[in-house]
């Protein structure tokens, strides 16, 4: 797993993908800070609520080639015939993408330090935001990785991941139009963003943490199953 | 070292590999030979655990590939048909990655990687990006990758593809030298490669093994019906009638005029009969000078062409099916014995 993690993480910096992702991420971090500072607010959460757009564009870029590239270039033959378990492969790749996401998130710490030099933002809210963003990012990365295991085409993986994240983005909107009570309940219960918003408000609810953690585990498990299935077909 | 039993792989309704069984001992080099699409790569992918077989077992050094995949895979170095190279890495980075991936254990990593680089002669390109290497060098990096960690079993799918003749000779002698400490299965469709490298040949066609033996045994078995070519200076019709009148000759076929007044004939002796002296006596009697007389032994190429005839594979596959049916009906009988009516049981006990 470590070997795969190290390779994937360094691969992000060998081709433009890692840099493009960081550029988008940091652009929005700076933009959020600029608006905050020029408006004279100290609500660090504002920077984080903007990050939804970064997830929408950035995560598909991050995950599209994780498995599809391996399948297309047939390098998966080296991975699958090495003494590594399938879950080791999937988790190695997942953690590499999450680590790059973490590098992007490190910029919010810079934002926080700058902001605290002339205002006093709440540390607890900031930490809550960090945890929330990391969890939601992780959940979307797991979904993107799962989509990437299913196709050889990076483009298809990227577009599909984008569509899935967009679906979750618009889910709250769908929910309010749903004609039946149970449908509203169902849609709001799987809504990522209402849960994420609780983090940005500084509420650390275990239910929400468990929800995102379960999404990560379920989709990584599904990725392993897809790889396993490829072996039998 | 490698034990393969009843390996079957179906892709949907297509049968890619049909009940293949063989075993390879320690230190053996086995050549896997067959036309394109015969099932060579599929079999190798199953042995290395990349694909799973529909039926059958693969045991490597005592480890079943599905039950103890990590243990089994630790013993294998695999060069797939298309070397699994990451284009964005340098050769050295890539080999380091593979070293970690395989969890190789050697005294010194750098020393081990340098030895491997030296074996396939890629030391001078180790800082170059893999995407910038020529096909021959990529192939060699692929071979290096398989050698990392000194695995006991090497599975090489067409190892000399894309190399120039000098490199081919180098790689062949490398494989040969490896056989002292390794067990090697290599697939190829180059017949001379099998002849020069392998101890044993397994010929596979349409998913079934049509031959599994040393090259020498194969050619002997197949050339039971020895044939001779005779070139003689004599009138064609006279020679033809005289030769076909010989007692031990089964048939004579004229093969045309080769030089002015010199004709060639193909002689087929009756089974297990030696016709050489008879022919010689006849020619001496008639005063026809013999210019050439030779036995047509089969070479590997002839063997290959003969054995990869689709009919051979089909008959083996048919036999497989029959066996399957028989064993199925045997099972049925067995179960009837246990659960069937009393009279039958009593009859048996009598």
């Amino acid at each position: 797993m470590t070997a795969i993690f190290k390779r994937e993480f360094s691969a992000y910096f060998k081709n433009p993908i890692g840099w493009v992702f960081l550029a988008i991420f940091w652009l929005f971090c700076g933009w959020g800070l600029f608006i905050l500072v020029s408006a004279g607010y100290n609500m660090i959460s504002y920077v984080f609520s903007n990050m939804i757009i970064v997830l929408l564009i950035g995560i598909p870029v991050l995950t599209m080639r994780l498995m599809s590239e391996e399948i297309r270039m047939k390098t998966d033959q080296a991975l699958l015939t090495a003494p590594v378990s399938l879950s080791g492969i999937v988790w190695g790749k997942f953690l590499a993408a999450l680590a790059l996401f973490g590098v992007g998130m490190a910029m919010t710490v810079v934002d926080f330090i700058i902001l605290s030099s002339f205002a006093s933002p709440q540390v607890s809210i900031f930490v809550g935001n960090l945890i929330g963003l990391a969890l939601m990012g992780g959940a979307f990365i797991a979904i993107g990785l799962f989509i990437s295991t299913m196709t050889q085409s990076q483009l298809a993986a990227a577009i599909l991941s984008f569509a899935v994240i967009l679906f979750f983005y618009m889910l709250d909107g769908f929910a309010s139009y749903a004609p039946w009570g149970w449908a509203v309940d169902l849609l709001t219960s799987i809504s990522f963003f209402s849960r994420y918003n609780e983090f940005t408000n500084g509420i650390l609810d275990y239910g929400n943490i468990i929800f995102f953690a379960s999404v990560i585990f379920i989709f990584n498990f599904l990725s392993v199953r897809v790889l396993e299935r490829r072996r039998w077909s | 070292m490698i034990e393969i039993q009843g390996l079957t792989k179906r892709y949907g309704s297509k049968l890619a590999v049909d009940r293949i069984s063989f075993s390879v001992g320690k230190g053996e080099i086995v050549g896997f030979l067959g036309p394109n699409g015969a099932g060579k790569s599929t079999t190798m992918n199953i042995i290395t655990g990349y694909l799973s077989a529909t039926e059958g077992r693969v045991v490597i050094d005592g480890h079943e590939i599905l039950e103890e995949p990590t243990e089994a895979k630790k013993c294998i170095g695999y060069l797939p048909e298309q070397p699994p190279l990451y284009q964005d890495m340098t050769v050295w980075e890539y080999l380091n990655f593979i070293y970690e991936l395989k969890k190789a254990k050697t005294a010194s990593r750098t020393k081990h990687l340098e030895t491997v680089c030296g074996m396939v002669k890629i030391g001078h390109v180790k800082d170059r990006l893999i995407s910038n290497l020529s096909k021959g060098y990529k192939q060699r990096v692929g071979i290096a990758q398989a050698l990392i960690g000194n695995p006991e079993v090497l599975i090489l799918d067409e190892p000399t593809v894309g190399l120039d003749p000098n490199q081919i000779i180098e790689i062949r002698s490398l494989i040969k030298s490896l056989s002292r400490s390794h067990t090697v299965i290599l697939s190829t469709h180059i017949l001379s490669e099998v002849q020069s490298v392998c101890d044993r040949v397994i010929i596979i066609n349409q998913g079934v093994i049509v031959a599994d033996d040393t090259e020498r045994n194969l050619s002997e078995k197949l050339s039971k019906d020895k044939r001779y070519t005779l070139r003689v200076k004599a009138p064609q019709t006279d020679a033809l009638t005289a030769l076909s009148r010989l007692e031990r000759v089964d048939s004579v076929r004229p093969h045309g005029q080769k030089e002015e007044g010199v004709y060639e004939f193909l002689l087929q002796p009756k089974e297990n009969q030696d016709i050489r002296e008879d022919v010689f006596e006849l020619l001496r009697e008639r005063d026809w000078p013999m210019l050439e007389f030779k036995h047509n032994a089969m070479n590997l190429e002839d063997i290959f062409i003969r054995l990869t005839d689709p009919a051979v594979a089909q008959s083996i596959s048919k036999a497989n099916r029959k066996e399957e049916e028989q064993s199925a009906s045997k099972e049925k009988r067995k179960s009837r014995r246990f659960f069937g009516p009393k009279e039958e049981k009593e009859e048996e006990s009598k």
Side-chain angles (χ1 to χ4, degrees), chain B residues 312-342:
Chain B
V312 177
Q314 274 154 16
S315 75
I316 292 176
S317 153
K318 216 181 261 172
N320 273 351
R321 294 285 85 78
K322 219 177 200 175
E323 212 174 280
E324 226 163 57
E325 272 164 31
Q326 267 173 4
S327 65
S329 65
K330 220 182 258 174
E331 292 268 300
K332 242 187 231 164
R333 231 177 289 150
K334 221 190 259 170
S335 63
R336 209 182 295 147
R337 196 176 299 165
F338 288 118
F339 307 109
K342 247 183 183 171

Side-chain angles (χ1 to χ4, degrees), chain A residues 210-223:
Chain A
I210 291 170
F211 173 79
F212 283 125
S214 324
V215 172
I216 292 172
F217 276 98
I218 288 170
F219 276 93
N220 280 351
F221 173 75
L222 289 178
S223 302

Side-chain angles (χ1 to χ4, degrees), chain A residues 141-196:
Chain A
I141 288 171
I143 294 173
L145 174 57
F146 169 65
I147 291 169
S148 177
T149 54
M150 292 197 295
T151 170
Q152 288 190 32
S153 155
Q154 292 188 31
L155 195 64
I159 291 171
L160 206 58
S161 309
F162 179 79
V164 170
I165 298 173
L166 192 66
F167 168 77
F168 279 108
Y169 182 61
M170 294 162 73
L171 199 58
D172 292 325
F174 291 145
S176 55
Y177 287 111
W180 307 286
W182 59 267
V184 176
D185 289 345
L186 180 76
L187 291 178
T188 43
S189 69
I190 58 165
S191 162
F192 279 36
F193 292 104
S194 59
R195 288 173 192 276
Y196 176 64

Side-chain angles (χ1 to χ4, degrees), chain B residues 122-157:
Chain B
I122 50 171
H124 56 291
V125 295
K126 70 179 190 209
D127 294 321
R128 285 186 34 196
L129 271 183
I130 290 176
S131 60
N132 295 340
L133 295 180
S134 68
K135 188 165 189 322
Y137 273 106
K138 281 182 184 161
Q139 187 69 20
R140 286 202 253 179
V141 176
I143 298 171
Q145 164 271 132
L147 293 175
I148 283 178
N150 274 326
E152 287 170 69
V153 176
L154 286 174
I155 310 242
L156 309 172
D157 201 346

Side-chain angles (χ1 to χ4, degrees), chain A residues 13-29:
Chain A
F13 295 100
K14 278 191 191 134
N15 45 56
I17 285 175
W19 300 110
V20 167
F21 174 78
L22 289 180
I24 298 173
F25 204 113
W26 289 347
L27 176 76
F28 279 90
C29 280

